[in-house]
Amino acid sequence: MKKQDYINAVEKLNLYAKHYYVLDDPLITDEEYDKLYHEVVAYEEENPNEILIDSPTQRVGDVISEGFTKESHLSRMWSLEDAFDNDGLQKWLEKTYKLDKNVTFYCEPKYDGASLNLIYEDGRLVRGVTRGDGSVGELITQNVKTIKSIPLTIDYFETIEIRGEVVIFKEEFERINQARLKNGEALFANPRNAAAGSLRQLDSSVTAARNLVFLPYGVGVNGLFHKNLHDKMNFIYNLGFRKPPERAVCKNIDEIDSVYKQMLHDRESYSMALDGMVIKVDEIASQIDMGYTVKVPRWAVAYKFPALEKITTVKEIVLQVGRTGAVTPVAIVEPTDIDGVVVERATLHNFDEIDRKDIRLGDKVIILRSGDVIPKIIKVLVHERDGSEIKYARPTRCPVCASELLDEGVLLKCQNLECSARVVNSIMYFASKPCLNIDGLGVKIVEALFHSGLVKSVVDLFDLTLEKLLELDGFKEKKSQNLLNALQNARGSEYWRFINALGIEHIGEVASKTISEAFGFGFVNATKEDIVSCDGIGEEMAESLLEFIRVNAQTIIKLQAILEPLEPVKREEAKENPFKGKTAVLTGTMSQSRGEIKETLENLGAKVSGSVSKKTDFLIYGEDAGSKYDKAMSLGVVCLREDEMRAKI
Ligand code: IVH
């Protein structure tokens, strides 16, 4: 690579990153990005004196600080006055109109994260400072540089402070917490805490791994000339920052209210958590006239959304036993209305969480409900205790069948395969949508069938007859016949549904589809080697599958005979050819889509896998082949261009 190629490559990478992280509009695949990135890394290793300050390699989080130094903001970071309802908003508007009758209002989301001040000088990001007390914050430039939606350089050369909120998208938040749950670490209470905690990490690689996002909402010191805030913000967005998902300029309270209602309505669908809408006077000259109180600007207000967090009391902790035997604790709380929904239960995740948060019966707690997720307890109000609260003792016996629980540390498990909770939940799972999708097998019916002794496992469902059902309490002719029809209709389903319905640990819908496609009815005879060679199936899954087959082979055969699932169409045995029985990996851009080439190879009897390993026989590559090509070369895998592959066929 020549110097000019390097400069062009950095520029390209920054453009791709902007499209990906700022505009949500990716231009290229990750693979193509990685390839160019590695070329840049290689050049920089050979020419360390020529590294550009805006090279994406400069974002790599490998700096460990001993602590953060204090740093003054160039101009103060303010807080916001809150309005909690329409009345509050009206009062704020009256106050504001008294100062200036002829103003309009810029409305944008109030993001729920941690505020951050970015200082750019001569077009370069020179400092990132937390809000702190508004005058002095902490210098966290190294961490800030790992945030991909913050440009390292901008096309504006005067000194400017760009302020905004650092957030964690809701999906990323769930991902982080799931990982923490698995590792037995304390969970983050909400995306705000997760964002704030991630920003102040001494090891910037931790910050980098958290996928933080920066959303600008204003400027401090600046030499911009715009008359209106909305123009000023458009200028900022155009420097390479993310736009809000929704924004508007409003003339009066009715317009403000309709934007507010819209935002409230859209709230759940946004990637980031919002806690309200911020309304700001749009005319900069009027902002300057209105000025500030000791704490807040007179020209802005936060019109809050109804809180998703409420205080309530823990009345009881009950235990649920799932189909795998895992026992999960659930808190029963004093019923509380949260944004229109009465919450009575909150998940406690697992027993470690109860210990860690020290949740006691009678405790006052903060619960959070957001989206479709189950409400959770995010904090115990320890200072509210009066001594009557009762510590919760970890159970040793299954709450349903009383058999001894296996204590795995984080998880407690009921080991009894005949435990009614396990059986009932397995049947419910068997009948659920992503499995056999049997209508009319609700929990009441399943419990009745189980407790009558008629159904002890899913196989028994198919021995039910009208006479037997009519003997049960509450089963009239119509209800019984409906149930029998529904069971009859479960026959002839797709084979992956059948596999999924078996409820094999670690084998969900996606893996069931893979297994069904790869082996068809023959999956019971697959070897471990066969299984792990499937895309997306690892050791743990393969072992779980094999163990299940070992224990349940008879049941599988019996169920399959009853349910007559459809065998996925098997390819005809391929004639002898160089690809038959071989494993191939595809990479780069080819003359046909990868799906089409995969199909061609599979018809030749090859297995097409997603990643290169020692087991790969061929790597077939097109233009812009990336890291897979490098890996294949390093492993000595035969690499064929597309035309070379075709020549062999
Ligand atoms: S403006 C000059 N706009 O809310 C006014 N703040 O409660 C200063 N925040 O510290 C703030 N979204 O961290 C403003 N669109 C938005 C915001 C926003 C979130 C945060 C910010 C501020 C806090 C005040």
Side-chain angles (χ1 to χ4, degrees):
M1 194 186 248
K2 293 202 208 71
K3 182 165 184 177
Q4 191 55 45
D5 296 330
Y6 165 70
I7 295 171
N8 293 346
V10 167
E11 193 176 323
K12 265 196 196 161
L13 287 175
N14 283 333
L15 179 74
Y16 298 151
K18 175 174 166 183
H19 272 262
Y20 190 90
Y21 293 104
V22 175
L23 303 173
D24 283 335
D25 172 31
L27 292 179
I28 54 165
T29 63
D30 294 359
E31 215 174 356
E32 289 165 307
Y33 182 93
D34 289 347
K35 186 172 174 249
L36 194 57
Y37 184 91
H38 285 114
E39 287 173 25
V40 161
V41 171
Y43 183 87
E44 291 179 349
E45 275 170 5
E46 291 197 357
N47 306 281
N49 297 328
E50 289 174 20
I51 299 177
L52 292 170
I53 50 162
D54 62 339
S55 163
T57 60
Q58 301 309 295
R59 294 185 181 278
V60 172
D62 56 0
V63 180
I64 302 194
S65 325
E66 303 216 308
F68 299 115
T69 50
K70 299 271 183 235
E71 180 74 29
S72 295
H73 301 294
L74 302 182
S75 68
R76 174 150 172 202
M77 289 185 82
W78 298 89
S79 213
L80 284 171
E81 180 177 337
D82 287 325
F84 292 100
D85 48 27
N86 194 278
D87 258 15
L89 173 67
Q90 213 151 354
K91 289 213 178 85
W92 179 81
L93 275 175
E94 280 163 21
K95 259 193 328 199
T96 310
Y97 278 136
K98 267 193 202 145
L99 297 171
D100 190 335
K101 282 198 298 288
N102 301 310
V103 287
T104 56
F105 302 95
Y106 182 66
C107 302
E108 66 181 356
K110 184 168 192 302
Y111 308 112
D112 204 4
S115 43
L116 176 66
N117 189 23
L118 301 174
I119 302 168
Y120 287 86
E121 285 169 3
D122 298 322
R124 298 171 174 203
L125 173 66
V126 290
R127 287 190 292 284
V129 188
T130 63
R131 182 179 182 283
D133 65 5
S135 302
V136 179
E138 284 176 316
L139 189 62
I140 52 162
T141 317
Q142 284 307 333
N143 290 349
V144 165
K145 282 188 177 170
T146 69
I147 302 175
K148 309 267 199 347
S149 44
I150 296 178
L152 299 178
T153 57
I154 54 175
D155 223 356
Y156 176 78
F157 301 93
E158 280 178 58
T159 297
I160 186 169
E161 290 178 292
I162 297 179
R163 271 100 191 249
E165 201 80 349
V166 171
V167 302
I168 284 191
F169 283 172
K170 290 182 266 188
E171 257 184 28
E172 175 69 8
F173 170 73
E174 290 302 329
R175 185 189 70 76
I176 295 171
N177 260 356
Q178 280 309 319
R180 294 176 75 87
L181 198 61
K182 223 174 164 183
N183 296 335
E185 296 169 287
L187 301 185
F188 286 119
N190 51 41
R192 176 185 53 237
N193 288 6
S198 304
L199 209 47
R200 293 187 70 267
Q201 290 290 326
L202 292 174
D203 176 353
S204 59
S205 68
V206 177
T207 311
R210 297 275 169 80
N211 295 320
L212 299 169
V213 176
F214 179 77
L215 298 151
Y217 58 64
V219 291
V221 158
N222 72 94
L224 299 174
F225 45 81
H226 307 90
K227 287 206 174 92
N228 293 302
L229 180 60
H230 75 263
D231 287 326
K232 205 181 252 204
M233 291 313 295
N234 280 336
F235 179 81
I236 300 294
Y237 305 138
N238 285 332
L239 289 177
F241 291 90
R242 277 187 82 104
K243 290 191 181 89
E246 213 163 314
R247 63 191 196 279
V249 177
C250 298
K251 289 201 268 309
N252 51 45
I253 190 163
D254 291 341
E255 287 185 12
I256 294 175
D257 227 32
S258 90
V259 176
Y260 175 81
K261 291 215 174 79
Q262 186 64 45
M263 236 181 245
L264 188 55
H265 172 266
D266 297 340
R267 176 187 197 181
E268 303 282 5
S269 70
Y270 291 144
S271 319
M272 70 291 274
L274 306 188
D275 63 344
M277 179 172 94
V278 183
I279 303 159
K280 296 170 182 167
V281 167
D282 196 39
E283 293 75 11
I284 307 281
S286 305
Q287 287 186 359
I288 294 169
D289 283 348
M290 291 178 179
Y292 300 81
T293 71
V294 279
K295 268 211 209 121
V296 299
R298 291 201 183 85
W299 45 267
V301 69
Y303 188 3
K304 300 298 278 282
F305 289 155
L308 295 178
E309 295 177 6
K310 278 276 178 75
I311 295 177
T312 183
T313 310
V314 177
K315 293 202 301 191
E316 204 186 335
I317 290 177
V318 297
L319 304 173
Q320 284 176 345
V321 184
R323 67 184 167 84
T324 61
V327 180
T328 22
V330 175
I332 306 294
V333 299
E334 201 59 56
T336 309
D337 184 311
I338 304 186
D339 196 14
V341 174
V342 178
V343 172
E344 297 184 66
R345 303 160 75 83
T347 171
L348 293 169
H349 300 289
N350 59 43
F351 295 94
D352 273 14
E353 269 292 290
I354 302 184
D355 289 344
R356 207 166 6 228
K357 294 206 172 99
D358 188 18
I359 297 168
R360 304 183 187 179
L361 302 178
D363 262 340
K364 283 223 165 21
V365 294
I366 299 177
I367 47 173
L368 168 79
R369 180 191 83 83
S370 93
D372 315 322
V373 298
I374 312 162
K376 52 188 168 197
I377 292 180
I378 60 173
K379 197 183 163 85
V380 176
L381 301 177
V382 177
H383 59 276
E384 297 267 345
R385 283 186 182 155
D386 63 11
S388 66
E389 297 74 19
I390 303 168
K391 254 196 178 288
Y392 179 76
R394 224 173 146 94
T396 54
R397 296 200 163 266
C398 173
V400 178
C401 70
S403 66
E404 200 168 327
L405 293 174
L406 173 72
D407 197 330
E408 293 186 341
V410 178
L411 274 188
L412 291 184
K413 273 189 170 171
C414 170
Q415 303 262 77
N416 173 12
L417 283 173
E418 280 155 24
C419 170
S420 71
R422 291 191 64 168
V423 179
V424 168
N425 283 321
S426 315
I427 297 176
M428 301 287 299
Y429 176 78
F430 179 83
S432 68
K433 272 224 163 68
C435 295
L436 289 171
N437 195 11
I438 305 175
D439 258 354
L441 263 185
V443 67
K444 290 259 156 59
I445 293 191
V446 176
E447 276 173 351
L449 293 173
F450 178 80
H451 292 296
S452 71
L454 278 182
V455 174
K456 292 208 176 62
S457 74
V458 288
V459 181
D460 298 339
L461 285 172
F462 299 96
D463 286 336
L464 290 173
T465 59
L466 193 58
E467 296 84 71
K468 286 188 195 166
L469 284 173
L470 287 176
E471 280 174 24
L472 302 183
D473 259 1
F475 279 76
K476 301 246 166 61
E477 173 108 20
K478 181 140 183 263
K479 178 172 168 178
S480 308
Q481 198 52 59
N482 284 347
L483 177 56
L484 292 172
N485 292 345
L487 288 166
Q488 186 64 32
N489 288 338
R491 285 166 217 253
S493 77
E494 293 145 286
Y495 197 52
W496 66 264
R497 290 182 176 277
F498 174 80
I499 298 178
N500 200 24
L502 297 172
I504 307 165
E505 216 172 339
H506 306 303
I507 306 288
E509 183 174 332
V510 176
S512 298
K513 284 181 182 162
T514 309
I515 294 163
S516 161
E517 240 169 62
F519 309 109
F521 285 1
F523 90 93
V524 279
N525 299 318
T527 65
K528 183 158 169 195
E529 209 181 8
D530 294 337
I531 300 170
V532 289
S533 75
C534 293
D535 239 359
I537 303 214
E539 290 267 322
E540 193 181 18
M541 293 163 96
E543 267 159 25
S544 166
L545 178 63
L546 287 170
E547 176 62 11
F548 187 91
I549 294 170
R550 192 181 67 77
V551 178
N552 299 293
Q554 288 312 313
T555 316
I556 299 173
I557 292 168
K558 202 160 160 191
L559 264 178
Q560 188 162 322
I562 298 170
L563 282 163
E564 297 166 8
L566 303 172
E567 176 151 37
V569 206
K570 263 272 171 66
R571 289 169 211 283
E572 274 177 39
E573 169 99 27
K575 296 208 187 77
E576 280 316 310
N577 71 72
F579 294 103
K580 188 170 173 182
K582 304 286 186 206
T583 302
V585 174
L586 309 178
T587 188
T589 316
M590 301 192 239
S591 69
Q592 283 180 302
S593 75
R594 281 202 215 157
E596 286 166 312
I597 296 181
K598 181 168 186 252
E599 177 85 24
T600 309
L601 287 167
E602 284 174 347
N603 285 336
L604 291 167
K607 239 182 254 159
V608 177
S609 147
S611 55
V612 176
S613 73
K614 274 184 273 174
K615 282 185 240 146
T616 311
D617 297 298
F618 296 106
L619 180 91
I620 295 159
Y621 64 98
E623 270 175 57
D624 295 324
S627 54
K628 285 185 194 170
Y629 179 85
D630 300 339
K631 182 157 183 205
M633 286 303 254
S634 72
L635 289 173
V637 171
V638 180
C639 295
L640 300 173
R641 278 196 320 267
E642 184 189 349
D643 57 317
E644 289 171 328
M645 169 198 83
R646 295 198 187 275
K648 273 188 181 289
I649 305 174

